[in-house]
Structure formats: structure tokens, C-alpha cells
Amino acid sequence: MNSRAPQKRKNLALDLADAEFRKEYLHSRDFKLWDILKYMYKPVLANPKICLASIGYALANGILPLFSVLIFYLLVEIIQSPGANLQQILLATGVYALLFFAFSTVATQLKNRNYTFFMRLRMQWLNQALNQYMTMDYGLYENVEFLDDFGNWDRSVSNNVQGIEGIWHRIFEMGGTVVSCLLLGILLATQSPLIVIVALVFLIASYLIQRHVTGFRHSRREELTRVRRRTGKITEAASDFRYGKDLRLFKFSGKFMELLQPLVKTYEKLLKLFTLRSLQLSFIESLALVLIDLSSLLILINSFLQGGITLATLVMLLSAVTVFSALMQKLAESMAFVKEESMYVDDTIDFLEADLKSSGGSAELSGNGPVHVQFENVSFSYPASDKLVLDKLNLEIKPGERLALVGVNGAGKTTLVKLLTGLYLPT
């Protein structure tokens, strides 16, 4: 007698249909933004060349806006000087152009020459995800709840501008933006720290607003995925040339429209919901941006009228405020982009690390000669369906015996074969 207790089978195709179990099984980790970035940047930080390129790009690209601001100061000083002449203006402009060209060339080369590094890393992630997708339980392809949850597993690895590669590129570029903001912020703080404080308030407010909007959109991703998946299936069948004659003969176009119309309405409803949420909060972001420019303008003009700064300094600082506010807005957008895309990267990480293979019986086949097949009271139903395709089926196929399966569509012939080959587990 076997003293070991029988091993409980794990049938993920059915188990993952339960929402609570699915959440605990697939999304048990509580990854924050910092955790996701640490996970993503392990191979990046292990490459000294990329680290040096990131620092070099940040410095080379970050100093360019400062050059653009200082040239105004220099030109106004030259024009105001008693001995000003065209040669001095051309010399100052030429030096500025050479410096701008040199630093921008270095920044562009560092960015473009390392672009493919991030693309290769993304392809490694994509290969791992495809391997997971191709080796997971066959029954999961027919579990609609699972597909709605993980249906967009490929979003973060499908292109260069979104997801994981989009984050890598954006953070690489953010280095230059951060350096520019620091340099211009120091320049403006020497005149009035209030300008920088207002800009920081805008940065925080803008980031929080955009994070809220993107978080709201991500929270409805299952609904959006469900609509897109169903719409895609219907349009795929409707546009398949193989079924063209049947569609025309039986006038199925109306049936397809009946199926599509409620899905299109649901899709429009979701998009309107996302747009409305964004519009409701966008005025706060716009107001904060206006406050940066307005408060800075008042502070600088007041200082000039009181003789605290010269005309050249006023022109320089006004241009600095314009560039600074634009860079702060760009920085806020980049931070919100990283936050939004990290949510989808987190979904991909969950997908990569999930155990998506069920555990069946422990018996092994020798692979030599005919086998004896026996079904004893086998029942089966598809995920999210209470209908039994097979109900307490008993069937015996003796070694060497040949058998034909005959039945109408939906009788369970294909299901029986898939159970026999282990693609499905009995319920």
C-alpha cells in the first residue's frame, strides 16, 4: 500500500477564474515605483559604458539651455557698451554657436550610439515573455478572466517608445533636463528663491495630477483589454476572406454589427471617462504653470525698476524663466510617463514570474509500444462556464485498438483528444 498522500492537482485554467485567487496568485507582490526601477536597471547599472554615457549626456545636454540664456546677457551688454560694434556681436554669436554645436553633437552621439543597447535589453524581456506565453497551460488561452488580466502582457515590451524601453530612454534623457533645471534654478535663485519655490510646487502638483490620471486609467485596464480583445475577435472573423461567401450567403453583416455596437459604445464610454478625468484636473496644472511665469515676471520687473538688476540681467533672467518653466513642465511629464509605464512593466514582471503550469498526476509513460487508455467518470467544463462538455465519461482504448470519434459539433470530440494528450485537466 502506498503510504504517500495523493498529490492535489493544480488546475490553473479553472483556479484563475476566481478573482480573489487570481489577484493573490498573480499579483501578490506589492512593488512600488522604486522597486520596479531597481528590477529594470539591474542590467543597465551592470554596464559601465551606459552609466558613463548617461552622465556624459546629462552634462552635455544639460548645459545647452544655460548657453542660450547667457548669450542674451552677453549681447545686451555688448550693445549697451559705448564702443559696441558689429564685429564684437558676430564674435560673441560665433563662440556661442560653436559651443552649442560641440555640446549638442556630443549629447546626440551619446544618445544615438547607445539607443540599440536598450532595444536589445527589451528584446530579451520580450523573448522571456514569449517563452512564458508559449509554455503556459493551454487552458489559460480560454480563460477569459486570465486574458483580461494579462491580455496586455506585451504592452511594455512591444515597441521602443512605451513600456520598459520607453522608460529607459526617457530616464536617459531626463538626466539632461534635471541638470538644466538645476543650473537655471541656481541662476534664478540668486535673484529670488521664490521663483524656484513656485516652480517646485508646480512640479509636484503636475506630477501628482498626472499620476492620478494615469493610475485611474490603469485601474480600468481589464475592462479596456476585454473590449479590445472581443472587438478584435469579431473584426478578425468578419474580415477573414475564407468566410466571405458564408457571410454574404447568410447575410451575417447585421449579426456582426449587433455584436460590435455594444462593444464600441463601451469603448467610447471608457475613453470619455479617461478624457473627462484628465480635463477636470488639467486646469490646476495650467494655473500652476501660469503662476510660475506671472510671479517671476513681477519679481524681476520690480527688481529692475528699483535698480536691483541691469537691463542685460533682466533680459537674461526673463529668458531663463521661460526656459526654466518649459523644462519643469517637461520634467513633470517625464516623471508621470515613467510612473504610468512602470505600472504596465509591473504587469509584465508579474507575468514573467508567475507559475503558469498546472500540476497533474505523477504517472509516467515509458514511450515503448502501445498504451492502455482509460477514462473513468471524467468530466470537463471550460473556464467561466458551468456547462459540462463531458459528463462522467467512461471510455477504454485497449493497446493496439483503433477507435473513431463521431459526433456533432460541440459534442466534445476535440476536448476529449486534448484531455487525452494532457492539454486540459479534467474537472
Side-chain angles (χ1 to χ4, degrees):
M1 180 179 177
N2 190 351
S3 60
R4 292 185 306 171
Q7 181 183 7
K8 185 180 185 298
R9 292 192 174 195
K10 181 175 66 174
N11 191 346
L12 289 177
L14 294 180
D15 294 342
L16 292 179
D18 181 74
E20 292 185 7
F21 178 82
R22 186 171 65 253
K23 181 179 179 181
E24 178 64 27
Y25 188 83
L26 300 177
H27 308 288
S28 59
R29 296 176 302 100
D30 185 21
F31 263 21
K32 305 300 182 183
L33 175 60
W34 179 247
D35 299 314
I36 298 170
L37 293 178
K38 279 171 46 179
Y39 190 102
M40 289 173 50
Y41 269 85
K42 286 180 181 178
V44 178
L45 296 176
N47 191 310
K49 177 185 174 183
I50 295 298
C51 295
L52 291 174
S54 301
I55 296 172
Y57 174 85
L59 296 175
N61 190 72
I63 203 171
L64 293 177
L66 187 63
F67 286 158
S68 301
V69 169
L70 293 177
I71 189 62
F72 285 105
Y73 175 82
L74 186 58
L75 290 176
V76 174
E77 282 288 323
I78 292 174
I79 294 172
Q80 283 187 314
S81 63
N85 56 62
L86 183 60
Q87 184 178 0
Q88 291 176 321
I89 296 175
L90 292 176
L91 179 62
T93 306
V95 171
Y96 161 75
L98 287 174
L99 288 173
F100 193 92
F101 175 77
F103 279 85
S104 62
T105 300
V106 170
T108 302
Q109 289 295 314
L110 288 173
K111 177 183 175 181
N112 293 342
R113 287 179 180 272
N114 294 285
Y115 193 93
T116 55
F117 170 80
F118 298 114
M119 189 184 301
R120 286 194 298 270
L121 283 184
R122 176 178 62 85
M123 295 306 296
Q124 292 175 10
W125 277 58
L126 178 59
N127 288 335
Q128 294 175 27
L130 286 173
N131 180 68
Q132 175 79 313
Y133 188 71
M134 296 300 293
T135 57
M136 69 183 188
D137 271 10
Y138 189 85
L140 292 177
Y141 295 101
E142 294 169 341
N143 183 322
V144 292
E145 284 82 5
F146 173 83
L147 294 176
D148 289 341
D149 191 328
F150 270 161
N152 60 348
W153 62 267
D154 60 332
R155 183 189 185 281
S156 66
V157 291
S158 61
N159 58 65
N160 306 100
V161 296
Q162 288 180 309
I164 186 167
E165 189 177 347
I167 291 176
W168 282 327
H169 291 312
R170 189 64 67 96
I171 290 181
F172 189 93
E173 296 170 4
M174 278 174 63
T177 307
V178 170
V179 171
S180 297
C181 289
L182 287 175
L183 293 175
L184 293 176
I186 292 171
L187 179 64
L188 292 169
T190 57
Q191 178 59 37
S192 176
L194 182 60
I195 298 176
V196 180
I197 294 173
V198 173
L200 288 175
V201 171
F202 161 77
L203 177 66
I204 295 171
S206 179
Y207 171 72
L208 292 176
I209 289 169
Q210 294 187 48
R211 189 184 70 171
H212 174 78
V213 173
T214 54
F216 176 74
R217 185 160 50 234
H218 182 264
S219 68
R220 310 297 291 269
R221 72 189 186 285
E222 286 192 33
E223 297 176 61
L224 199 58
T225 302
R226 185 182 306 116
V227 172
R228 287 173 175 171
R229 181 173 54 80
R230 293 179 178 178
T231 304
K233 288 292 184 181
I234 295 172
T235 53
E236 180 183 355
S239 59
D240 195 325
F241 183 76
R242 295 174 299 174
Y243 307 136
K245 294 179 181 179
D246 303 272
L247 295 177
R248 292 192 296 272
L249 180 63
F250 296 103
K251 299 179 180 179
F252 275 164
S253 59
K255 293 294 183 182
F256 279 106
M257 290 303 298
E258 289 179 13
L259 292 172
L260 278 173
Q261 283 178 353
L263 292 174
V264 171
K265 289 181 179 179
T266 302
Y267 188 66
E268 289 179 348
K269 182 180 178 181
L270 286 172
L271 292 182
K272 287 179 180 178
L273 195 62
F274 299 152
T275 304
L276 180 61
R277 181 61 62 94
S278 180
L279 289 175
Q280 287 174 339
L281 298 173
S282 61
F283 77 94
I284 301 177
E285 186 178 0
S286 300
L287 179 62
L289 186 61
V290 170
L291 286 176
I292 296 178
D293 294 334
L294 185 60
S295 60
S296 302
L297 182 64
L298 293 174
I299 291 171
L300 294 177
I301 291 179
N302 180 63
S303 181
F304 173 72
L305 293 176
Q306 293 182 358
I309 56 176
T310 63
L311 178 62
T313 304
L314 175 64
V315 173
M316 177 187 69
L317 294 177
L318 287 176
S319 61
V321 166
T322 303
V323 177
F324 184 60
S325 60
L327 288 172
M328 292 295 281
Q329 184 178 21
K330 180 181 178 181
L331 184 59
E333 291 174 355
S334 297
M335 291 169 60
F337 172 86
V338 170
K339 175 59 180 178
E340 177 179 15
E341 295 303 318
S342 69
M343 299 181 198
Y344 297 98
V345 173
D346 191 26
D347 294 337
T348 302
I349 294 173
D350 283 342
F351 179 71
L352 288 173
E353 295 192 341
D355 179 9
L356 300 179
K357 296 178 182 178
S358 297
S359 58
S362 58
E364 295 183 0
L365 296 178
S366 63
N368 299 321
V371 296
H372 179 214
V373 177
Q374 187 164 2
F375 285 75
E376 295 182 355
N377 293 322
V378 173
S379 298
F380 179 81
S381 62
Y382 286 97
S385 173
D386 296 329
K387 180 182 178 181
L388 287 173
V389 181
L390 301 175
D391 186 9
K392 297 180 181 179
L393 171 70
N394 290 282
L395 173 67
E396 182 178 8
I397 307 176
K398 297 178 181 179
E401 185 178 5
R402 297 183 180 181
L403 191 69
L405 292 176
V406 181
V408 298
N409 289 343
K413 303 184 298 297
T414 304
T415 302
L416 177 61
V417 174
K418 290 178 178 178
L419 283 165
L420 176 64
T421 54
L423 295 177
Y424 293 149
L425 291 179
T427 50

